[in-house]
Amino acid sequence: MSEINLGIIGGGQLGSMLSIAAKKLNVKTIIFCDDINAPAQNFCNEFIFGKYDDSQKILEFVNKVDIITYEFENIPYETLNQINQKKRVLPKPSINRLIQHRLAEKDFVNKLNIRTTQYTSVKKKSDLDSLKDLLPGILKTTTLGYDGKGQYPIKDIKDIDKIDIDFSKEYILEKLVKLKKEISVIITRFSNNNYEIYEPIENTHEDQILKYSKIPAEVSNNLFNKSKDWAIRIAEELKYVGTLCVEFFIDRNENLYVNEIAPRVHNSGHLTINAYNISQFENHIRAVCSLEKIPLKKLSNAKMINLIGNQIEPYRKNLKLNDNEFFFDYLKKEIKDKRKMGHITTLYK
Ligand code: ADP
Ligand code: MG
């Protein structure tokens, strides 16, 4: 078979890990990113720096590749759609448009009779006055949020006057779920009823940023199966091709809710690199490039710790790892507060 040239939009750590997985499969990666310092340029075959509205640069990128995917969801729909007229974009741009909008995403999930927290659209400040039933809650921008950015916790209606919210943007108000646990399920779908699914991963956040992930998740059999079942239904309904992650909440009464969907590989799945025969990254490449689907085999239990901000420093200086520990440095040029700099996965029995 002739060599495949895979275009990836976005050059962060997920782009790096996709590039590493692609290399193993003899797939060449060409990354397009609007960050001149994008860490994935250390791992891909070719790097193109350009803004997402620079049609000339995008054309240059599109002409070099056979197929295109992306490592983050905040790409304008128009851009993805235009690219898709020339070369196939997977997951489909319409899926990305649905999922990048928190309201559309939750409406979609509820239509499948899958539970989310209660929520409503907020377009202006006075909308909040009648929404006491959804408090305590979190006001979130409908688009462009990640790692808790663009989110305002609201305990009481009186809080609203205290926070400075830019109402030129659209918001969703979500009722706060009394969390017992958070889990995620990663699935790679190839075609109709043809997918590989990883077991649920238990996630712990600090400051709304993922800090720890582990398998097995400590959940009942019922929730173990239900979360997988919901992830499969979501992927099938979207006719998704590639790797997708569904984030879930479990409340103190053992109710399961979908929190959000990521139309891409996911931070909680970094442990699949070491804990499975095929990682979420390799499976994504296999699915979007129409390569062989190989049955998943779990090799070990695992824990992953995100290294955020200057937590990376001791590991960079004094690296002593045991055989069951795997350190990954994203090679980001600058250490920043709340920035994901690397991770460590530990395998255990
Ligand atoms: P992001 O796009 O930043 O990942 P999320 O909606 O997943 O946004 O929110 C990040 C984290 O904040 C969640 O993983 C959870 O810990 C907390 N959180 C968000 N929304 C809620 C909610 N409605 N109830 C309880 N916790 C929430
Ligand atoms: Mg999230």
Side-chain angles (χ1 to χ4, degrees):
M1 202 178 70
S2 68
E3 193 173 60
I4 301 171
N5 291 297
L6 173 68
I8 301 173
I9 304 175
Q13 62 268 25
L14 299 175
S16 301
M17 290 181 240
L18 284 167
S19 299
I20 294 167
K23 210 159 268 178
K24 190 177 141 191
L25 298 170
N26 271 326
V27 170
K28 277 200 153 169
T29 48
I30 296 99
I31 287 189
F32 186 92
C33 186
D34 68 351
D35 175 6
I36 190 102
N37 292 320
Q41 60 195 291
N42 296 297
F43 302 95
C44 62
N45 293 92
E46 195 177 333
F47 179 74
I48 300 176
F49 163 68
K51 298 291 168 194
Y52 296 125
D53 58 2
D54 183 342
S55 44
Q56 204 52 44
K57 270 278 153 79
I58 286 184
L59 191 65
E60 183 193 320
F61 165 67
V62 170
N63 284 337
K64 287 188 173 188
V65 301
D66 302 306
I67 187 147
I68 290 163
T69 189
Y70 42 94
E71 58 114 58
F72 73 115
E73 56 263 54
N74 293 331
I75 308 162
Y77 170 70
E78 293 68 30
T79 307
L80 278 189
N81 201 30
Q82 271 164 21
I83 295 174
N84 196 38
Q85 317 286 326
K86 296 211 169 64
K87 299 278 168 69
R88 195 158 182 223
V89 174
L90 287 172
K92 282 184 295 190
S94 58
I95 295 179
N96 188 59
R97 177 175 56 182
L98 178 79
I99 291 177
Q100 70 175 206
H101 195 281
R102 292 187 193 274
L103 271 170
E105 177 189 37
K106 284 203 171 56
D107 287 347
F108 162 76
V109 172
N110 280 281
K111 274 203 195 105
L112 300 180
N113 275 326
I114 291 175
R115 185 174 189 165
T116 66
T117 189
Q118 285 172 266
Y119 63 98
T120 192
S121 157
V122 173
K123 292 203 168 118
K124 53 185 191 304
K125 197 170 178 183
S126 59
D127 288 349
L128 288 164
D129 297 343
S130 57
L131 298 175
K132 289 194 189 68
D133 288 354
L134 294 183
L135 298 182
I138 304 185
L139 193 68
K140 303 180 181 179
T141 50
T142 50
T143 57
L144 300 175
Y146 69 97
D147 288 346
K149 291 188 173 65
Q151 301 195 9
Y152 309 88
I154 299 182
K155 279 211 189 79
D156 190 283
I157 215 85
K158 284 182 293 209
D159 291 349
I160 296 163
D161 288 327
K162 289 183 213 148
I163 35 181
D164 185 25
I165 302 167
D166 170 12
F167 277 100
S168 64
K169 293 182 186 148
E170 240 188 278
Y171 293 85
I172 179 174
L173 179 66
E174 292 182 19
K175 195 175 170 103
L176 197 72
V177 175
K178 293 198 173 101
L179 287 180
K180 180 178 167 197
K181 247 175 225 271
E182 293 187 69
I183 60 172
S184 55
V185 173
I186 294 174
I187 179 168
T188 308
R189 185 176 175 279
F190 288 70
S191 57
N192 284 351
N193 280 314
N194 190 22
Y195 55 82
E196 291 295 327
I197 187 163
Y198 298 86
E199 73 174 63
I201 301 163
E202 182 167 336
N203 301 315
T204 309
H205 292 76
E206 283 177 6
D207 288 336
Q208 282 151 311
I209 302 175
L210 182 67
K211 180 65 189 156
Y212 305 102
S213 293
K214 68 165 185 175
I215 50 170
E218 288 172 45
V219 294
S220 65
N221 275 340
N222 175 34
L223 292 185
F224 186 96
N225 293 324
K226 196 169 175 176
S227 59
K228 284 173 73 177
D229 179 49
W230 285 4
I232 294 166
R233 276 170 55 199
I234 287 169
E236 286 298 326
E237 183 68 24
L238 293 169
K239 298 199 185 317
Y240 195 90
V241 176
T243 295
L244 167 138
C245 176
V246 184
E247 297 178 11
F248 297 91
F249 294 145
I250 299 170
D251 75 9
R252 293 178 200 158
N253 298 318
E254 289 285 295
N255 293 307
L256 186 68
Y257 307 77
V258 165
N259 168 25
E260 62 173 350
I261 305 166
R264 52 170 171 80
V265 288
H266 192 262
N267 189 172
S268 64
H270 290 356
L271 53 73
T272 64
I273 295 175
N274 309 101
Y276 278 86
N277 61 332
I278 310 277
S279 72
Q280 61 163 351
F281 303 99
E282 180 174 339
N283 257 334
H284 184 71
I285 307 280
R286 286 180 178 277
V288 301
C289 295
S290 308
L291 303 177
E292 186 190 359
K293 177 172 88 67
I294 294 173
L296 269 186
K297 235 179 22 218
K298 182 180 171 184
L299 307 174
S300 175
N301 290 330
K303 289 182 194 167
M304 189 259 344
I305 304 179
N306 266 340
L307 300 171
I308 296 165
N310 56 19
Q311 291 164 0
I312 188 98
E313 280 175 334
Y315 293 91
R316 280 185 173 165
K317 280 189 203 124
N318 183 15
L319 188 63
K320 275 200 213 90
L321 294 175
N322 295 314
D323 286 350
N324 62 336
E325 291 174 323
F326 302 87
F327 169 59
F328 203 118
D329 185 338
Y330 304 152
L331 306 179
K332 292 186 182 174
K333 287 235 164 84
E334 210 186 323
I335 295 180
K336 276 193 199 160
D337 205 30
K338 299 195 173 174
R339 176 180 256 190
K340 290 169 179 166
M341 300 299 299
H343 74 263
I344 297 176
T345 299
T346 307
L347 301 181
Y348 68 102
K349 289 221 171 82

mmCIF file of all heavy atoms in Angstrom, residues 293-309:
data_model
loop_
_atom_site.group_PDB
_atom_site.id
_atom_site.type_symbol
_atom_site.label_atom_id
_atom_site.label_comp_id
_atom_site.label_asym_id
_atom_site.label_seq_id
_atom_site.Cartn_x
_atom_site.Cartn_y
_atom_site.Cartn_z
ATOM 1 N N LYS A 293 -8.330 -3.054 12.269
ATOM 2 C CA LYS A 293 -8.777 -2.949 13.665
ATOM 3 C C LYS A 293 -8.301 -4.190 14.409
ATOM 4 O O LYS A 293 -8.560 -5.313 13.986
ATOM 5 C CB LYS A 293 -10.300 -2.873 13.717
ATOM 6 C CG LYS A 293 -10.855 -2.827 15.131
ATOM 7 C CD LYS A 293 -12.358 -2.554 15.135
ATOM 8 C CE LYS A 293 -13.183 -3.818 15.045
ATOM 9 N NZ LYS A 293 -13.099 -4.686 16.222
ATOM 10 N N ILE A 294 -7.569 -3.986 15.476
ATOM 11 C CA ILE A 294 -7.016 -5.101 16.243
ATOM 12 C C ILE A 294 -7.743 -5.178 17.588
ATOM 13 O O ILE A 294 -7.935 -4.145 18.235
ATOM 14 C CB ILE A 294 -5.499 -4.881 16.455
ATOM 15 C CG1 ILE A 294 -4.805 -4.952 15.094
ATOM 16 C CG2 ILE A 294 -4.908 -5.900 17.426
ATOM 17 C CD1 ILE A 294 -3.345 -4.600 15.115
ATOM 18 N N PRO A 295 -8.165 -6.370 18.016
ATOM 19 C CA PRO A 295 -8.901 -6.463 19.291
ATOM 20 C C PRO A 295 -8.071 -5.922 20.455
ATOM 21 O O PRO A 295 -6.877 -6.198 20.558
ATOM 22 C CB PRO A 295 -9.142 -7.968 19.468
ATOM 23 C CG PRO A 295 -8.995 -8.550 18.110
ATOM 24 C CD PRO A 295 -8.024 -7.684 17.362
ATOM 25 N N LEU A 296 -8.722 -5.136 21.307
ATOM 26 C CA LEU A 296 -8.011 -4.553 22.453
ATOM 27 C C LEU A 296 -7.743 -5.599 23.512
ATOM 28 O O LEU A 296 -8.583 -6.452 23.778
ATOM 29 C CB LEU A 296 -8.876 -3.463 23.088
ATOM 30 C CG LEU A 296 -8.714 -2.050 22.600
ATOM 31 C CD1 LEU A 296 -9.563 -1.116 23.467
ATOM 32 C CD2 LEU A 296 -7.263 -1.603 22.623
ATOM 33 N N LYS A 297 -6.552 -5.498 24.098
ATOM 34 C CA LYS A 297 -6.195 -6.356 25.220
ATOM 35 C C LYS A 297 -5.602 -5.483 26.312
ATOM 36 O O LYS A 297 -4.644 -4.741 26.068
ATOM 37 C CB LYS A 297 -5.151 -7.384 24.752
ATOM 38 C CG LYS A 297 -5.591 -8.778 25.045
ATOM 39 C CD LYS A 297 -4.673 -9.905 24.625
ATOM 40 C CE LYS A 297 -3.233 -9.621 24.421
ATOM 41 N NZ LYS A 297 -2.631 -10.322 23.298
ATOM 42 N N LYS A 298 -6.201 -5.565 27.497
ATOM 43 C CA LYS A 298 -5.624 -4.812 28.619
ATOM 44 C C LYS A 298 -4.405 -5.566 29.134
ATOM 45 O O LYS A 298 -4.450 -6.780 29.323
ATOM 46 C CB LYS A 298 -6.674 -4.683 29.715
ATOM 47 C CG LYS A 298 -6.211 -3.874 30.899
ATOM 48 C CD LYS A 298 -7.311 -3.776 31.951
ATOM 49 C CE LYS A 298 -6.765 -3.146 33.219
ATOM 50 N NZ LYS A 298 -7.772 -3.133 34.287
ATOM 51 N N LEU A 299 -3.302 -4.852 29.331
ATOM 52 C CA LEU A 299 -2.061 -5.489 29.773
ATOM 53 C C LEU A 299 -1.844 -5.320 31.271
ATOM 54 O O LEU A 299 -1.197 -6.145 31.901
ATOM 55 C CB LEU A 299 -0.862 -4.881 29.022
ATOM 56 C CG LEU A 299 -0.952 -4.876 27.487
ATOM 57 C CD1 LEU A 299 0.233 -4.119 26.899
ATOM 58 C CD2 LEU A 299 -1.009 -6.308 26.951
ATOM 59 N N SER A 300 -2.386 -4.229 31.830
ATOM 60 C CA SER A 300 -2.108 -3.955 33.246
ATOM 61 C C SER A 300 -3.086 -2.925 33.790
ATOM 62 O O SER A 300 -3.664 -2.143 33.031
ATOM 63 C CB SER A 300 -0.683 -3.391 33.362
ATOM 64 O OG SER A 300 -0.403 -3.009 34.688
ATOM 65 N N ASN A 301 -3.234 -2.892 35.101
ATOM 66 C CA ASN A 301 -3.867 -1.747 35.747
ATOM 67 C C ASN A 301 -2.890 -0.575 35.679
ATOM 68 O O ASN A 301 -1.677 -0.792 35.517
ATOM 69 C CB ASN A 301 -4.185 -2.066 37.207
ATOM 70 C CG ASN A 301 -5.310 -3.091 37.321
ATOM 71 O OD1 ASN A 301 -6.189 -3.151 36.462
ATOM 72 N ND2 ASN A 301 -5.259 -3.900 38.365
ATOM 73 N N ALA A 302 -3.414 0.643 35.797
ATOM 74 C CA ALA A 302 -2.514 1.794 35.647
ATOM 75 C C ALA A 302 -3.051 3.039 36.337
ATOM 76 O O ALA A 302 -4.268 3.190 36.530
ATOM 77 C CB ALA A 302 -2.325 2.091 34.159
ATOM 78 N N LYS A 303 -2.101 3.913 36.710
ATOM 79 C CA LYS A 303 -2.451 5.238 37.259
ATOM 80 C C LYS A 303 -1.673 6.279 36.484
ATOM 81 O O LYS A 303 -0.499 6.059 36.183
ATOM 82 C CB LYS A 303 -1.969 5.373 38.699
ATOM 83 C CG LYS A 303 -2.719 4.545 39.675
ATOM 84 C CD LYS A 303 -2.183 4.813 41.069
ATOM 85 C CE LYS A 303 -2.724 3.699 41.956
ATOM 86 N NZ LYS A 303 -2.117 3.585 43.233
ATOM 87 N N MET A 304 -2.304 7.395 36.200
ATOM 88 C CA MET A 304 -1.607 8.475 35.507
ATOM 89 C C MET A 304 -1.704 9.742 36.353
ATOM 90 O O MET A 304 -2.751 10.035 36.921
ATOM 91 C CB MET A 304 -2.264 8.719 34.146
ATOM 92 C CG MET A 304 -1.543 9.659 33.224
ATOM 93 S SD MET A 304 -2.073 11.374 33.030
ATOM 94 C CE MET A 304 -3.667 11.570 33.633
ATOM 95 N N ILE A 305 -0.592 10.454 36.466
ATOM 96 C CA ILE A 305 -0.591 11.749 37.168
ATOM 97 C C ILE A 305 -0.189 12.824 36.170
ATOM 98 O O ILE A 305 0.840 12.703 35.502
ATOM 99 C CB ILE A 305 0.426 11.768 38.334
ATOM 100 C CG1 ILE A 305 0.155 10.627 39.308
ATOM 101 C CG2 ILE A 305 0.399 13.117 39.041
ATOM 102 C CD1 ILE A 305 1.149 10.573 40.472
ATOM 103 N N ASN A 306 -1.011 13.869 36.048
ATOM 104 C CA ASN A 306 -0.635 15.008 35.211
ATOM 105 C C ASN A 306 0.355 15.889 35.957
ATOM 106 O O ASN A 306 0.173 16.161 37.150
ATOM 107 C CB ASN A 306 -1.868 15.860 34.890
ATOM 108 C CG ASN A 306 -2.517 15.484 33.583
ATOM 109 O OD1 ASN A 306 -1.902 14.858 32.719
ATOM 110 N ND2 ASN A 306 -3.776 15.873 33.431
ATOM 111 N N LEU A 307 1.383 16.335 35.270
ATOM 112 C CA LEU A 307 2.330 17.278 35.865
ATOM 113 C C LEU A 307 1.969 18.660 35.353
ATOM 114 O O LEU A 307 2.077 18.947 34.153
ATOM 115 C CB LEU A 307 3.762 16.900 35.476
ATOM 116 C CG LEU A 307 4.153 15.485 35.938
ATOM 117 C CD1 LEU A 307 5.492 15.071 35.352
ATOM 118 C CD2 LEU A 307 4.181 15.397 37.463
ATOM 119 N N ILE A 308 1.501 19.496 36.263
ATOM 120 C CA ILE A 308 0.944 20.789 35.881
ATOM 121 C C ILE A 308 1.876 21.908 36.352
ATOM 122 O O ILE A 308 2.376 21.864 37.479
ATOM 123 C CB ILE A 308 -0.481 20.933 36.461
ATOM 124 C CG1 ILE A 308 -1.375 19.859 35.803
ATOM 125 C CG2 ILE A 308 -1.054 22.330 36.213
ATOM 126 C CD1 ILE A 308 -2.679 19.606 36.484
ATOM 127 N N GLY A 309 2.128 22.874 35.460
ATOM 128 C CA GLY A 309 3.012 23.995 35.805
ATOM 129 C C GLY A 309 4.380 23.501 36.232
ATOM 130 O O GLY A 309 4.951 22.590 35.616
#
